[in-house]
Amino acid sequence: MNRRDEIRQKALKDLQRLEVLMVNGHFDFGNGYHGRVYLNPHQLFRHPSTIWRFAQDLLDVLPGSVLDETEVVAGPVTGGALLAHTIAGLLDSRREITRPPTLFAPLTTDAVTGHSLSRFYRQQVKGRRVLLVDDVRNTGQTLARCAAVVRDSGGTVLATAEIYDRMEAIIELDVPNVALAEYKAPENYPASACPLCASGVPVTTF
Ligand SMILES: [Zn+2]
């Protein structure tokens, strides 16, 4: 196994150990469905050291060309922006001190367009190469919308990256996507047809 695969396999275990990802439970999602897998991204940020460690691992699996070319790290609030801020700082710790420091840009939620950059951050992004990150990739729609905002601001998207990919993306961008860890959850069940309920497995509480 190569080093990248080792890092990714360890990250998937760490996500479970830290209860970001719970795969062997019996969860009541409160919407009429039950299932075995629960994802709690808040656990990534509860202790800042957790996201710092995962961000280091994500940097270790990103292609060297992306690490070298990135001038701005951007991400959607809240999780993506916290991760982007961390990644931007850590990138500089791996670079020559004479290089201009990496910039950070948060994409805020916008009632009309979904996501947007403030005027200040549009200026930061303009004419620069951007690494777009998020904590979790669901359908890929958030990253696609953020990429459109970055391009609209005059930035170039180099790649997208996330800590955890649910492997349910229905929108793929035309740039590389790198996930530190990925896991596809099995289908959930309507509560009335839940086999875990039927076999008497107690609902997981946490
Ligand atoms: Zn059940």
Side-chain angles (χ1 to χ4, degrees):
M1 200 192 313
N2 68 35
R3 183 167 140 73
R4 279 198 169 92
D5 289 341
E6 274 172 29
I7 292 166
R8 298 177 83 229
Q9 209 166 71
K10 181 177 177 298
L12 187 59
K13 283 193 192 128
D14 286 344
L15 287 170
Q16 293 176 60
R17 184 173 52 81
L18 296 164
E19 297 190 335
V20 179
L21 174 68
M22 288 177 268
V23 297
N24 285 314
H26 175 194
F27 300 101
D28 178 350
F29 300 115
N31 60 356
Y33 283 83
H34 287 189
R36 294 176 197 275
V37 177
Y38 184 74
L39 182 69
N40 183 2
H42 297 296
Q43 292 283 18
L44 283 172
F45 301 99
R46 192 160 67 105
H47 303 118
S49 56
T50 302
I51 196 64
W52 292 345
R53 289 197 182 105
F54 282 119
Q56 293 275 19
D57 290 343
L58 185 55
L59 286 173
D60 285 337
V61 299
L62 276 163
S65 58
V66 171
L67 298 182
D68 191 50
E69 291 171 27
T70 297
E71 295 173 287
V72 183
V73 188
V77 289
T78 318
L82 288 168
L83 176 61
H85 193 270
T86 306
I87 295 254
L90 291 172
L91 255 181
D92 285 348
S93 70
R94 298 179 177 214
R95 288 176 168 178
E96 294 289 322
I97 200 155
T98 49
R99 277 189 65 159
T102 308
L103 295 158
F104 151 74
L107 289 119
T108 47
T109 48
D110 182 294
V112 181
T113 59
H115 286 91
S116 66
L117 280 170
S118 71
R119 186 198 298 232
F120 176 81
Y121 287 111
R122 288 176 76 91
Q123 285 301 321
Q124 301 284 293
V125 160
K126 190 178 177 183
R128 292 202 167 92
R129 295 183 296 261
V130 178
L131 170 63
L132 197 54
V133 300
D134 206 351
D135 51 350
V136 176
R137 180 165 82 149
N138 295 300
T139 62
Q141 197 165 36
T142 299
L143 286 169
R145 275 203 297 249
C146 290
V149 172
V150 166
R151 287 167 177 165
D152 187 53
S153 307
T156 304
V157 179
L158 287 173
T160 59
E162 63 274 341
I163 300 293
Y164 177 76
D165 185 0
R166 299 179 85 143
M167 301 183 78
E168 287 173 3
I170 51 170
I171 302 173
E172 295 281 351
L173 286 162
D174 53 356
V175 294
N177 178 70
V178 177
L180 175 60
E182 55 192 23
Y183 183 84
K184 177 122 176 66
E187 294 285 311
N188 295 322
Y189 318 104
S192 59
C194 174
L196 299 165
C197 283
S199 54
V201 178
V203 168
T204 309
T205 53
F206 55 91

